[in-house]
Protein backbone atom coordinates (compact mmCIF):
# COMPACT_ATOMS: atom_id res chain seq x y z
CA UNK A 1 0.00 0.00 0.00
CA UNK A 2 1.05 3.63 -0.39
CA UNK A 3 1.70 6.39 2.09
CA UNK A 4 -1.56 8.32 2.35
CA UNK A 5 -2.69 11.58 3.82
CA UNK A 6 -4.72 10.79 6.93
CA UNK A 7 -8.36 11.76 6.98
CA UNK A 8 -9.43 14.32 9.58
CA UNK A 9 -12.33 14.31 12.02
CA UNK A 10 -13.03 17.38 14.16
CA UNK A 11 -14.66 16.63 17.53
CA UNK A 12 -16.47 19.22 19.66
CA UNK A 13 -15.78 19.14 23.41
CA UNK A 14 -16.99 21.44 26.20
CA UNK A 15 -13.38 21.97 27.32
CA UNK A 16 -12.09 22.74 23.80
CA UNK A 17 -11.18 26.00 22.11
CA UNK A 18 -12.17 28.09 19.10
CA UNK A 19 -8.70 28.95 17.77
CA UNK A 20 -6.93 25.93 16.27
CA UNK A 21 -4.18 27.77 14.42
CA UNK A 22 -1.89 26.70 12.89
CA UNK A 23 -2.99 23.06 13.25
CA UNK A 24 -6.19 23.06 11.18
CA UNK A 25 -7.03 24.35 7.72
CA UNK A 26 -9.88 26.32 9.31
CA UNK A 27 -8.18 28.02 12.26
CA UNK A 28 -11.23 29.60 13.92
CA UNK A 29 -14.27 27.52 14.85
CA UNK A 30 -17.83 28.46 15.81
CA UNK A 31 -17.97 25.90 18.66
CA UNK A 32 -15.17 24.69 20.97
CA UNK A 33 -13.11 21.91 19.38
CA UNK A 34 -11.36 19.51 21.72
CA UNK A 35 -9.90 16.99 19.31
CA UNK A 36 -8.74 16.49 15.76
CA UNK A 37 -8.66 12.74 15.18
CA UNK A 38 -6.73 11.24 12.27
CA UNK A 39 -7.57 8.06 10.41
CA UNK A 40 -6.21 6.15 7.42
CA UNK A 41 -9.51 6.46 5.56
CA UNK A 42 -9.74 2.87 4.30
CA UNK A 43 -13.28 1.55 4.22
CA UNK A 44 -13.35 -2.09 5.25
CA UNK A 45 -9.58 -2.19 5.69
CA UNK A 46 -7.73 -4.07 8.42
CA UNK A 47 -8.09 -2.95 12.02
CA UNK A 48 -5.44 -0.50 13.12
CA UNK A 49 -3.59 -0.69 16.42
CA UNK A 50 -2.98 3.02 17.02
CA UNK A 51 -4.88 6.30 17.00
CA UNK A 52 -3.33 9.74 16.48
CA UNK A 53 -5.00 12.91 17.77
CA UNK A 54 -4.48 16.58 18.44
CA UNK A 55 -5.98 17.89 21.68
CA UNK A 56 -6.87 21.57 22.24
CA UNK A 57 -7.69 22.59 25.81
CA UNK A 58 -9.49 25.81 26.68
CA UNK A 59 -10.47 24.41 30.08
CA UNK A 60 -9.22 21.62 32.33
CA UNK A 61 -10.32 18.17 31.17
CA UNK A 62 -12.04 15.64 33.38
CA UNK A 63 -10.03 13.45 35.75
CA UNK A 64 -10.10 10.00 34.17
CA UNK A 65 -8.54 6.58 33.74
CA UNK A 66 -8.44 3.96 30.97
CA UNK A 67 -8.56 0.14 31.17
CA UNK A 68 -5.56 -2.08 30.47
CA UNK A 69 -5.55 -4.91 27.93
CA UNK A 70 -6.78 -7.60 30.34
CA UNK A 71 -9.70 -5.54 31.62
CA UNK A 72 -10.63 -4.33 28.15
CA UNK A 73 -10.67 -7.86 26.73
CA UNK A 74 -12.84 -9.04 29.61
CA UNK A 75 -15.29 -6.33 28.50
CA UNK A 76 -15.27 -7.52 24.89
CA UNK A 77 -12.75 -4.99 23.55
CA UNK A 78 -9.63 -5.76 21.54
CA UNK A 79 -7.17 -3.75 23.64
CA UNK A 80 -6.80 -1.35 26.52
CA UNK A 81 -5.71 2.26 26.22
CA UNK A 82 -2.20 3.40 27.01
CA UNK A 83 -1.25 6.77 25.58
CA UNK A 84 1.59 9.28 25.23
CA UNK A 85 1.50 13.06 24.97
CA UNK A 86 3.87 15.34 23.09
CA UNK A 87 3.20 18.96 24.02
CA UNK A 88 3.14 21.16 20.94
CA UNK A 89 2.22 24.44 22.62
CA UNK A 90 1.61 25.56 26.20
CA UNK A 91 0.49 28.78 27.78
CA UNK A 92 2.33 30.06 30.84
CA UNK A 93 1.29 28.10 33.92
CA UNK A 94 -0.21 25.18 31.97
CA UNK A 95 -0.19 21.86 33.80
CA UNK A 96 -0.89 18.16 33.36
CA UNK A 97 -1.55 15.56 36.05
CA UNK A 98 -0.30 11.98 35.76
CA UNK A 99 -0.78 9.68 38.74
CA UNK A 100 -1.39 10.54 42.40
CA UNK A 101 0.72 12.42 44.93
CA UNK A 102 0.57 9.46 47.32
CA UNK A 103 -0.95 5.97 47.45
CA UNK A 104 -4.67 5.84 48.25
CA UNK A 105 -6.94 3.07 49.44
CA UNK A 106 -10.03 2.35 47.38
CA UNK A 107 -12.16 3.88 50.15
CA UNK A 108 -10.08 7.09 50.15
CA UNK A 109 -10.21 7.23 46.37
CA UNK A 110 -14.00 6.81 46.26
CA UNK A 111 -14.57 9.53 48.87
CA UNK A 112 -12.25 11.94 47.04
CA UNK A 113 -13.96 11.20 43.72
CA UNK A 114 -17.42 11.81 45.15
CA UNK A 115 -16.60 15.14 46.82
CA UNK A 116 -14.19 16.44 44.15
CA UNK A 117 -11.14 16.57 46.39
CA UNK A 118 -9.48 14.07 44.04
CA UNK A 119 -8.20 17.07 42.05
CA UNK A 120 -5.93 18.05 44.93
CA UNK A 121 -4.57 14.52 45.22
CA UNK A 122 -3.30 14.39 41.63
CA UNK A 123 0.37 14.92 40.80
CA UNK A 124 0.02 18.17 38.83
CA UNK A 125 3.18 19.12 36.90
CA UNK A 126 4.17 22.22 34.96
CA UNK A 127 4.01 21.62 31.23
CA UNK A 128 5.82 23.31 28.34
CA UNK A 129 6.17 22.79 24.60
CA UNK A 130 8.46 19.83 23.91
CA UNK A 131 7.60 17.88 27.07
CA UNK A 132 6.75 14.19 26.69
CA UNK A 133 4.50 12.23 29.07
CA UNK A 134 3.63 8.54 29.08
CA UNK A 135 0.24 7.57 30.53
CA UNK A 136 -0.04 3.78 30.78
CA UNK A 137 -3.47 2.22 31.15
CA UNK A 138 -4.71 2.38 34.73
CA UNK A 139 -3.02 5.73 35.46
CA UNK A 140 -5.32 8.41 36.88
CA UNK A 141 -4.68 11.58 34.86
CA UNK A 142 -5.96 14.96 33.70
CA UNK A 143 -4.92 17.71 31.28
CA UNK A 144 -5.09 21.38 32.18
CA UNK A 145 -6.12 24.38 30.10
CA UNK A 146 -3.94 26.22 27.59
CA UNK A 147 -2.36 23.25 25.83
CA UNK A 148 -2.05 21.77 22.35
CA UNK A 149 -1.05 18.12 22.57
CA UNK A 150 -0.23 15.44 20.00
CA UNK A 151 -1.50 12.18 21.48
CA UNK A 152 -0.71 8.67 20.30
CA UNK A 153 -2.69 5.86 21.90
CA UNK A 154 -3.85 2.31 21.58
CA UNK A 155 -6.96 2.27 19.45
CA UNK A 156 -9.56 2.22 22.23
CA UNK A 157 -11.69 5.20 23.21
CA UNK A 158 -12.92 3.79 26.56
CA UNK A 159 -12.66 6.42 29.29
CA UNK A 160 -13.82 6.12 32.89
CA UNK A 161 -14.56 9.65 34.08
CA UNK A 162 -13.84 10.25 37.79
CA UNK A 163 -14.48 13.99 38.22
CA UNK A 164 -15.64 16.56 35.65
CA UNK A 165 -15.24 19.92 37.43
CA UNK A 166 -18.95 20.59 37.70
CA UNK A 167 -19.85 19.67 34.13
CA UNK A 168 -22.91 17.45 33.81
CA UNK A 169 -21.38 14.51 31.97
CA UNK A 170 -21.72 10.98 33.35
CA UNK A 171 -19.16 9.74 35.87
CA UNK A 172 -17.84 6.15 36.11
CA UNK A 173 -16.43 5.91 39.62
CA UNK A 174 -17.02 2.18 40.18
CA UNK A 175 -15.37 1.26 36.88
CA UNK A 176 -12.49 3.64 37.61
CA UNK A 177 -11.85 2.09 41.02
CA UNK A 178 -11.71 -1.35 39.39
CA UNK A 179 -8.94 -0.39 36.94
CA UNK A 180 -7.04 2.50 38.54
CA UNK A 181 -3.51 2.28 39.91
CA UNK A 182 -3.97 4.25 43.13
CA UNK A 183 -0.36 5.40 43.39
CA UNK A 184 2.19 7.87 42.00
CA UNK A 185 3.40 7.38 38.44
CA UNK A 186 6.68 7.98 36.64
CA UNK A 187 5.38 9.76 33.57
CA UNK A 188 7.79 12.35 32.17
CA UNK A 189 10.10 10.99 29.48
CA UNK A 190 13.46 12.31 28.28
CA UNK A 191 14.28 12.07 24.57
CA UNK A 192 17.20 9.91 23.42
CA UNK A 193 19.10 10.55 20.23
CA UNK A 194 19.29 7.69 17.73
CA UNK A 195 20.99 9.87 15.09
CA UNK A 196 21.44 13.63 14.77
CA UNK A 197 18.11 13.87 12.97
CA UNK A 198 16.22 11.15 14.82
CA UNK A 199 15.20 11.16 18.51
CA UNK A 200 13.29 8.52 20.43
CA UNK A 201 10.75 10.38 22.58
CA UNK A 202 9.38 7.28 24.31
CA UNK A 203 8.72 3.58 23.79
CA UNK A 204 6.33 1.17 25.49
CA UNK A 205 5.04 -2.34 24.72
CA UNK A 206 2.42 -0.90 22.35
CA UNK A 207 4.09 1.88 20.36
CA UNK A 208 7.17 4.02 19.85
CA UNK A 209 7.12 7.80 19.39
CA UNK A 210 9.97 9.59 17.63
CA UNK A 211 10.79 13.07 16.43
CA UNK A 212 12.59 13.69 13.14
CA UNK A 213 14.38 17.04 12.66
CA UNK A 214 15.35 17.21 9.00
CA UNK A 215 17.40 20.14 7.66
CA UNK A 216 16.30 22.39 4.81
CA UNK A 217 16.57 21.34 1.16
CA UNK A 218 17.44 17.69 1.81
CA UNK A 219 15.81 14.47 0.70
CA UNK A 220 15.28 11.39 2.88
CA UNK A 221 13.81 7.94 2.43
CA UNK A 222 11.28 6.90 5.08
CA UNK A 223 10.62 3.15 5.38
CA UNK A 224 7.48 2.20 7.30
CA UNK A 225 7.80 -1.52 8.02
CA UNK A 226 5.08 -1.37 10.71
CA UNK A 227 1.86 0.57 11.06
CA UNK A 228 3.14 4.16 11.23
CA UNK A 229 1.68 7.64 11.63
CA UNK A 230 3.46 10.90 10.83
CA UNK A 231 2.48 14.41 11.92
CA UNK A 232 4.11 17.62 10.67
CA UNK A 233 4.76 19.88 13.67
CA UNK A 234 7.08 22.48 12.13
CA UNK A 235 8.36 23.50 8.72
CA UNK A 236 7.18 21.88 5.51
CA UNK A 237 8.00 19.95 2.39
CA UNK A 238 6.57 16.91 0.63
CA UNK A 239 6.12 13.25 1.56
CA UNK A 240 5.98 11.22 -1.60
CA UNK A 241 3.75 13.21 -3.95
CA UNK A 242 1.86 14.88 -1.08
CA UNK A 243 2.50 18.37 0.22
CA UNK A 244 3.32 18.30 3.95
CA UNK A 245 2.54 21.33 6.10
CA UNK A 246 2.01 21.98 9.79
CA UNK A 247 -0.91 19.92 11.07
CA UNK A 248 -0.88 17.42 8.19
CA UNK A 249 -0.85 13.74 9.16
CA UNK A 250 0.05 10.68 7.11
CA UNK A 251 -0.41 6.92 7.43
CA UNK A 252 1.80 4.15 6.09
CA UNK A 253 2.34 0.43 6.49
CA UNK A 254 4.86 -1.75 4.66
CA UNK A 255 5.90 1.03 2.29
CA UNK A 256 8.54 3.65 1.53
CA UNK A 257 8.36 7.31 0.59
CA UNK A 258 10.80 10.12 -0.12
CA UNK A 259 10.65 13.19 2.12
CA UNK A 260 11.60 16.36 0.23
CA UNK A 261 12.37 18.97 2.87
CA UNK A 262 11.44 22.59 2.17
CA UNK A 263 13.43 25.75 2.75
CA UNK A 264 12.39 25.96 6.42
CA UNK A 265 13.34 22.36 7.29
CA UNK A 266 10.71 20.00 8.66
CA UNK A 267 9.96 18.42 12.05
CA UNK A 268 7.88 15.25 12.09
CA UNK A 269 6.47 13.13 14.87
CA UNK A 270 6.53 9.45 13.91
CA UNK A 271 4.49 6.89 15.85
CA UNK A 272 4.89 3.20 15.03
CA UNK A 273 3.21 0.06 16.32
CA UNK A 274 6.49 -1.30 17.69
CA UNK A 275 7.98 -1.63 21.16
CA UNK A 276 11.33 -0.11 20.14
CA UNK A 277 12.58 2.25 17.41
CA UNK A 278 12.39 0.63 13.98
CA UNK A 279 15.77 -0.16 12.42
CA UNK A 280 16.20 1.43 9.01
CA UNK A 281 13.36 3.92 9.41
CA UNK A 282 15.23 6.84 7.84
CA UNK A 283 18.16 7.41 5.51
CA UNK A 284 19.37 10.43 3.60
CA UNK A 285 19.42 10.16 -0.17
CA UNK A 286 22.47 11.16 -2.25
CA UNK A 287 22.96 14.78 -3.30
CA UNK A 288 21.82 14.16 -6.89
CA UNK A 289 18.36 13.12 -5.61
CA UNK A 290 17.80 16.22 -3.48
CA UNK A 291 15.75 18.20 -5.97
CA UNK A 292 12.48 16.92 -7.36
CA UNK A 293 11.51 18.76 -10.56
CA UNK A 294 8.37 20.81 -10.18
CA UNK A 295 8.22 20.62 -6.37
CA UNK A 296 6.86 23.70 -4.57
CA UNK A 297 4.54 24.33 -1.66
CA UNK A 298 0.89 24.76 -2.57
CA UNK A 299 -0.04 28.42 -3.20
CA UNK A 300 3.60 29.34 -2.68
CA UNK A 301 2.99 29.65 1.04
CA UNK A 302 6.03 29.55 3.28
CA UNK A 303 5.64 27.46 6.40
CA UNK A 304 7.52 28.49 9.54
CA UNK A 305 7.72 26.93 12.96
CA UNK A 306 5.72 28.79 15.59
CA UNK A 307 6.37 26.26 18.34
CA UNK A 308 9.10 26.64 20.98
CA UNK A 309 10.30 23.06 21.28
CA UNK A 310 11.76 22.07 24.66
CA UNK A 311 13.82 18.97 25.23
CA UNK A 312 13.35 18.42 28.99
CA UNK A 313 17.12 18.51 29.52
CA UNK A 314 18.24 16.50 26.48
CA UNK A 315 19.16 18.45 23.32
CA UNK A 316 17.26 17.51 20.20
Amino acid sequence: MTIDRASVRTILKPWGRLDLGPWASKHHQDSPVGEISFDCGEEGGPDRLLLLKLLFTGETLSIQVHPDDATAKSMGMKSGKSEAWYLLAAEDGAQVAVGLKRPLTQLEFRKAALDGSIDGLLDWQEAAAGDVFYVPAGTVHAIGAGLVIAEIQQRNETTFRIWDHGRSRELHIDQAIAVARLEPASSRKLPRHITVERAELMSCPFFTLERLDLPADTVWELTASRESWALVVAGGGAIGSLTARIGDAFFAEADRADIHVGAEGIVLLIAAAASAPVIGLLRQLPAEDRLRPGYELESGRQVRSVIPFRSSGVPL
Side-chain angles (χ1 to χ4, degrees), residues 239-260:
I239 298 180
S241 61
L242 304 173
T243 300
R245 295 184 294 196
I246 293 175
D248 288 342
F250 302 85
F251 172 83
E253 187 173 33
D255 206 349
R256 298 180 180 180
D258 290 349
I259 302 174
H260 293 256

Side-chain angles (χ1 to χ4, degrees), residues 274-286:
S275 59
V278 177
I279 296 173
L281 175 77
L282 184 73
R283 73 179 183 96
Q284 188 169 7
L285 295 181

Side-chain angles (χ1 to χ4, degrees), residues 19-20 86 108 129 143 192 206 212-213 236 240 257 269 275 304 308:
D19 184 2
L20 307 184
Y86 183 84
E108 289 174 322
I143 298 174
R192 177 185 70 87
F206 313 106
L212 307 184
D213 291 73
L269 293 184
S275 59
R304 299 181 184 275

Side-chain angles (χ1 to χ4, degrees), residues 92-308:
D92 290 343
Q95 293 183 313
V96 299
V98 184
L100 304 172
K101 290 180 180 177
R102 61 176 178 85
L104 297 178
T105 66
Q106 289 191 348
L107 184 61
E108 289 174 322
F109 182 80
R110 179 184 292 277
K111 181 180 182 300
L114 290 172
D115 65 19
S117 61
I118 185 66
D119 185 73
L121 297 175
L122 296 184
D123 183 16
W124 287 98
Q125 305 173 51
E126 291 187 6
D131 283 347
V132 183
F133 294 89
Y134 176 47
V135 187
T139 304
V140 179
H141 62 277
I143 298 174
L147 291 165
V148 180
I149 295 176
E151 177 182 288
I152 188 69
Q153 59 166 88
Q154 289 179 276
R155 203 175 185 86
N156 183 340
E157 291 287 65
T158 302
T159 294
F160 298 138
R161 199 176 295 118
I162 300 164
W163 178 252
D164 202 26
H165 307 285
R167 293 183 284 253
S168 58
R169 295 184 296 174
E170 181 183 4
L171 301 180
H172 314 96
I173 295 174
D174 289 337
Q175 296 95 320
I177 290 173
V179 303
R181 301 175 183 175
L182 304 181
E183 60 191 12
S186 176
S187 61
R188 195 183 293 263
K189 299 299 180 183
L190 296 179
R192 177 185 70 87
H193 268 292
I194 301 171
T195 66
V196 172
E197 299 82 13
R198 186 180 173 194
E200 177 189 4
L201 299 178
M202 60 78 55
S203 295
C204 69
F206 313 106
F207 52 79
T208 294
L209 183 63
E210 298 186 31
R211 194 178 111 189
L212 307 184
D213 291 73
L214 306 182
D217 302 318
T218 54
V219 178
W220 303 75
E221 183 182 67
L222 180 72
T223 300
S225 59
R226 309 278 184 95
E227 176 185 331
S228 300
W229 299 82
L231 175 70
V232 182
V233 299
I239 298 180
S241 61
L242 304 173
T243 300
R245 295 184 294 196
I246 293 175
D248 288 342
F250 302 85
F251 172 83
E253 187 173 33
D255 206 349
R256 298 180 180 180
D258 290 349
I259 302 174
H260 293 256
V261 183
E264 303 296 321
I266 194 170
V267 180
L268 295 165
L269 293 184
I270 303 288
S275 59
V278 177
I279 296 173
L281 175 77
L282 184 73
R283 73 179 183 96
Q284 188 169 7
L285 295 181
E288 59 267 22
D289 293 333
R290 292 184 182 179
L291 292 178
R292 177 164 63 85
Y295 164 67
E296 59 183 15
L297 289 179
E298 293 174 3
S299 305
R301 190 178 98 187
Q302 288 187 332
V303 180
R304 299 181 184 275
S305 171
V306 296
I307 305 163

